[in-house]
Amino acid sequence: MKKIINPRIPVIFTLALSAGIYLGYIFALKDISLLWITATVPAAAVFSVFWAVFNKKYATLAVAFISLFIICCGATGSNLTLEEYSKSRIIYGKEYLVTATVSEKGKTENGEYVILNKISLDGEKKNGKIIAYLDEIYGEFCDVGYKVSFIAEVEGKDVFPYGKLNRYAQDNVKYSCFVHGGMKAKYAFSLFGDVRSALRRTLYKNTDGDTAAVAYAMLTGNTQSIEENTINSFRQGGVAHIFAVSGLHIGLVFGIHSFICRIIKSNKYLSAVLCLMPILFYAGVCGFTSSALRALIMCTVSTVAKLLNAKYDGLNALAVAVSVILIISPLNLFSAGLQLSVCAVGGIILLSKNFLKRFSKIPPKIKSALGVSVSAQAATAPVLLSKFGYLSISGLFLNILVLPVLSAVFVLLFVTVVLATVVPAVAGFIIPYAVLPLQLIISFFINAGFENALISGFGAGAFAPVFLLGIVAFTDKINLKTAVRALIAVCSVTVLCSYTTLRTFMPADGYSVIISADIGGGRAVIKHGRKSVLILSENCYGSSVKTMLHDNYATDLSAVILLGGENCALSYGGFDLDCRNIYAYGGYFNLQPYGKLIINYEKQFYCDGIKYTFGDGYSVIAETENFKVAVCTGEKVTFGEYDLLITDCTDIKCDYGKLAGFNSRYIKNNVYDCGQLVYKF
């Protein structure tokens, strides 16, 4: 009789490490003492002993004890890392003399930024990195590897802003500042940094900015310089993973050198060195990102297995890679790049064999591409939903049709850009022609309208475990009868549909008020059925607004209300949301942002059965017979009675039923501390 599952020890230990890291994260998020972890160890140990002795499987007992130890180590490590991150030990509002080394440079919507490491503030060395936003005139020119010094106000970053882990924590960026001038910079040699800078200069000197940014991202994984509309087009097309340096990139470089080694007929030990050294160097040029490290380690495991004439197991190799990455930096567990990379590879290993059986009548090459695409898309679905709030239907087909083309384009770019960087004299002749296919691809994605083929509304929440349970029904790594597989699949789909319906459409005849925010500003969505009205404050970020709408199945916008005047209107002009029914306070006459947007200046209007009334340019009231909700982004709230008041103002001279804040921590229920808030009426 076949075993239900053949246990893989590396996989078990990696799962234990991941569980421990997540446990430490939850303890830190909920502010629970780490002593609770220690308290659970004796009980778990006693249970493990009795269970193992009863089954007379002492090997199982050893694995259980080791797994328990790994869980405790993972929890302790991640908890201590999070505690250390939140200890900034700097004085708010004080100007410091900052000296540091530039480790990364890129562009933002408003200018440039640099990531600084090896930092000291007023001569005192600090652990962590600084992200410094550069003014147009910030001082002497700097690039990756340069040593810089300047005076600026430095702020420490919170570890859990908006109820979730700070995205900078994964890279240990603990501080931020703005540099308005006076920066002094001195060149210092940096092997990987100099190579990145040379590649960037070669591209930007010989082609247009958008093409150069996309090409640079494909080669190095750095997407910070790509225009938001461009990167969103690739995400909505489901192929943004081409910018995460991982299996596609490392594998192609590894394959090129393997081919060369076969031609020169080198022995297996020399071939191993000649194949691994280039991908190690390439991973360094890419900043040793988690996805690049994952691919590098898996290639190394494969090469070592070949040298030892041992069997290569994809799941074990993936587990080893993940364990190494998490030991180096536990918070990488929450990195979107690592999650997508691991899920894609894991999905291919777990699902592709069974999927290929279903496509028996399809030509082999198409069948292989289809099986890989379906498997990767299925496994990455929970990550895409949790990070971006939507799934791309078109991605399933584009990964079959476009990915081979993109692979060829990557090889072309890699060869020509490296050649042009080494021999600058030929750059002007070969780069403009080498990027022509990429320019056509960029134009295709921008104009294809893939935003109309997205599935949204699932959110994150319970979707991931239910979806992953469904994957169990299709993997060949677990031996189950067909009837059991079918039952698991049906149960998974039923629970998933019920969860999505309840989360998205309840209350059926009522209204939902959804509140979220980011550092730039706040936004609220008033949702009735499938129709929604979006209320924006100034300085909101388009990508985070879109994620919120997709996450809550609120993309069918009846209207957008702009609070805050010209800044808000100009920001919305770049959001590329599918709504042209826009309202602003009547005092801002002739305020028309760029593009085709036309603003309605009506002090009072009706939408989806709700009456909206502007109090001033920074406040609006939404009311029906059942509720009255006010949103105020100004400095004072001095009138009215409300069932719900959404504001950051603490000078409140009105009556309200419930109070919610965007960023103000003086208000108990605020988005910054609690994450997204939802109220039902």
Side-chain angles (χ1 to χ4, degrees):
M1 182 178 177
K2 287 185 177 180
K3 294 181 180 179
I4 294 179
I5 187 170
N6 293 318
R8 291 170 167 81
I9 301 302
V11 175
I12 294 172
F13 289 164
T14 300
L15 290 174
L17 179 61
S18 302
I21 292 171
Y22 188 74
L23 183 64
Y25 164 81
I26 294 297
F27 275 41
L29 179 64
K30 302 299 182 183
D31 197 24
I32 303 173
S33 172
L34 200 65
L35 292 175
W36 282 97
I37 297 177
T38 306
T40 61
V41 172
V46 171
F47 172 80
S48 300
V49 170
F50 276 102
W51 185 83
V53 171
F54 179 77
N55 287 276
K56 297 181 180 179
K57 294 181 179 179
Y58 295 101
T60 303
L61 175 63
V63 171
F65 270 121
I66 294 172
S67 298
L68 181 62
F69 176 73
I70 291 174
I71 289 173
C72 293
C73 289
T76 304
S78 67
N79 195 276
L80 293 177
T81 301
L82 291 168
E83 283 188 4
E84 176 61 28
Y85 182 85
S86 60
K87 296 176 181 177
S88 60
R89 298 189 185 92
I90 61 172
I91 301 173
Y92 179 78
K94 179 185 175 181
E95 287 192 337
Y96 288 89
L97 172 61
V98 181
T99 57
T101 301
V102 179
S103 62
E104 184 180 331
K105 186 175 183 180
K107 292 184 178 180
T108 66
E109 294 180 358
N110 302 314
E112 292 183 311
Y113 77 92
V114 288
I115 302 291
L116 308 174
N117 62 9
K118 301 178 183 177
I119 61 175
S120 65
L121 305 180
D122 287 346
E124 181 184 351
K125 291 184 178 180
K126 294 287 185 179
N127 179 35
K129 302 177 184 178
I130 295 179
I131 180 168
Y133 299 97
L134 307 179
D135 203 352
E136 290 185 4
I137 303 174
Y138 58 83
E140 298 175 0
F141 171 80
C142 70
D143 209 329
V144 176
Y146 278 58
K147 294 185 181 298
V148 298
S149 63
F150 55 88
I151 295 176
E153 288 187 9
V154 179
E155 294 184 0
K157 290 185 173 294
D158 290 333
V159 67
F160 292 119
Y162 305 105
K164 57 186 178 182
L165 181 65
N166 191 325
R167 65 189 180 93
Y168 291 107
Q170 298 154 17
D171 298 319
N172 202 27
V173 178
K174 299 175 64 174
Y175 312 97
S176 64
C177 66
F178 289 86
V179 182
H180 300 293
M183 175 184 281
K184 295 181 180 180
K186 182 179 179 181
Y187 170 76
F189 175 74
S190 169
L191 177 60
F192 297 136
D194 285 353
V195 172
R196 285 201 298 273
S197 298
L199 294 174
R200 187 169 61 243
R201 284 195 301 270
T202 299
L203 286 166
Y204 277 91
K205 282 183 179 180
N206 296 285
T207 187
D208 64 276
D210 202 22
T211 304
V214 173
Y216 184 69
M218 287 184 67
L219 292 172
T220 66
N222 187 327
T223 62
Q224 294 296 328
S225 298
I226 304 179
E227 295 289 337
E228 185 175 352
N229 287 341
T230 303
I231 189 69
N232 281 337
S233 299
F234 280 88
R235 284 172 181 160
Q236 291 160 359
V239 297
H241 54 80
I242 64 168
F243 301 128
V245 176
S246 56
L248 171 65
H249 307 70
I250 298 290
L252 283 171
V253 175
F254 185 80
I256 290 171
H257 287 85
S258 296
F259 177 72
I260 294 172
C261 288
R262 285 197 297 271
I263 292 177
I264 63 175
K265 297 181 179 180
S266 59
N267 66 61
K268 63 179 182 179
Y269 297 103
L270 179 60
S271 295
V273 173
L274 293 176
C275 290
L276 292 178
M277 291 304 293
I279 61 175
L280 175 63
F281 180 78
Y282 184 45
V285 171
C286 298
F288 289 112
T289 61
S290 55
S291 56
L293 272 177
R294 192 275 308 159
L296 170 63
I297 295 169
M298 289 190 71
C299 283
T300 303
V301 172
S302 172
T303 302
V304 172
K306 196 172 183 180
L307 290 176
L308 299 176
N309 295 318
K311 183 180 179 182
Y312 173 76
D313 184 274
L315 275 180
N316 281 339
L318 180 61
V320 170
V322 173
S323 292
V324 171
I325 293 168
L326 295 182
I327 290 170
I328 294 172
S329 176
L331 299 187
N332 269 321
L333 180 68
F334 309 101
S335 163
L338 181 64
Q339 289 176 6
L340 287 171
S341 180
V342 171
C343 286
V345 175
I348 293 169
I349 295 171
L350 291 172
L351 301 176
S352 60
K353 188 174 180 180
N354 265 354
F355 280 169
L356 289 174
K357 291 179 181 178
R358 305 296 187 272
F359 307 137
S360 56
K361 297 182 180 180
I362 299 176
K365 289 186 177 180
I366 298 177
K367 179 174 69 173
S368 177
L370 186 61
V372 168
S373 178
V374 171
S375 302
Q377 291 285 312
T380 57
V383 180
L384 293 171
L385 284 170
S386 65
K387 299 298 181 182
F388 306 113
Y390 59 78
L391 288 175
S392 173
I393 293 294
S394 51
L396 179 62
F397 305 100
L398 287 175
N399 276 283
I400 300 171
L401 301 174
V402 179
L403 198 57
V405 177
L406 287 171
S407 300
V409 169
F410 170 78
V411 174
L412 178 63
L413 284 174
F414 183 84
V415 173
T416 54
V417 174
V418 170
L419 177 61
T421 303
V422 175
V423 188
V426 304
F429 298 98
I430 62 175
I431 295 296
Y433 296 101
V435 298
L436 283 176
L438 181 60
Q439 289 173 333
L440 292 174
I441 291 171
I442 294 171
S443 178
F444 168 71
F445 275 93
I446 290 176
N447 296 298
F450 292 123
E451 67 274 8
N452 298 315
L454 302 177
I455 300 177
S456 60
F458 297 98
F463 178 87
V466 174
F467 189 87
L468 292 174
L469 178 64
I471 288 180
V472 170
F474 296 98
T475 179
D476 66 311
K477 305 300 180 184
I478 300 178
N479 299 312
L480 296 173
K481 294 182 179 179
T482 303
V484 176
R485 293 182 186 275
L487 179 62
I488 292 174
V490 170
C491 290
S492 177
V493 171
T494 302
V495 173
L496 177 59
C497 291
S498 301
Y499 162 74
T500 305
T501 302
L502 291 172
R503 185 182 185 278
T504 305
F505 296 106
M506 297 300 286
D509 297 323
Y511 295 84
S512 299
V513 180
I514 306 157
I515 311 164
S516 72
D518 51 41
I519 297 297
R523 58 261 179 176
V525 170
I526 299 179
K527 192 169 183 292
H528 180 54
R530 294 188 60 179
K531 295 291 183 180
S532 305
V533 173
L534 173 64
I535 303 172
L536 289 175
S537 71
E538 55 186 328
N539 300 324
C540 280
Y541 297 115
S543 58
S544 57
V545 171
K546 286 183 178 180
T547 298
M548 174 203 182
L549 295 176
H550 281 293
D551 187 43
N552 293 282
Y553 200 66
T555 54
D556 190 1
L557 294 174
S558 300
V560 175
I561 299 172
L562 306 179
L563 302 180
E566 184 174 3
N567 287 338
C568 189
L570 291 174
S571 295
Y572 178 73
F575 281 10
D576 193 30
L577 293 176
D578 188 21
C579 182
R580 297 294 179 262
N581 200 19
I582 305 164
Y583 293 88
Y585 180 59
Y588 299 120
F589 290 108
N590 299 318
L591 171 60
Q592 299 297 346
Y594 59 87
K596 299 179 180 179
L597 306 182
I598 302 298
I599 295 180
N600 301 302
Y601 297 103
E602 299 177 17
K603 184 173 182 180
Q604 188 176 95
F605 62 95
Y606 286 83
C607 188
D608 297 338
I610 305 174
K611 182 174 75 172
Y612 292 89
T613 306
F614 283 102
D616 54 30
Y618 293 88
S619 63
V620 68
I621 303 166
E623 58 183 314
T624 67
E625 294 179 354
N626 300 321
F627 70 86
K628 190 174 184 180
V629 176
V631 182
C632 178
T633 61
E635 296 180 356
K636 291 185 178 181
V637 180
T638 57
F639 57 91
E641 296 180 358
Y642 315 102
D643 297 299
L644 172 63
L645 173 61
I646 306 167
T647 183
D648 277 339
C649 177
T650 55
D651 182 18
I652 301 171
K653 301 176 182 177
C654 59
D655 295 324
Y656 54 86
K658 296 178 181 178
L659 180 62
F662 288 122
N663 282 292
S664 175
R665 307 185 77 177
Y666 295 102
I667 298 173
K668 181 179 180 182
N669 293 321
N670 68 84
V671 178
Y672 191 89
D673 286 327
C674 306
Q676 181 175 274
L677 299 173
V678 180
Y679 295 87
K680 305 284 188 179
F681 293 98

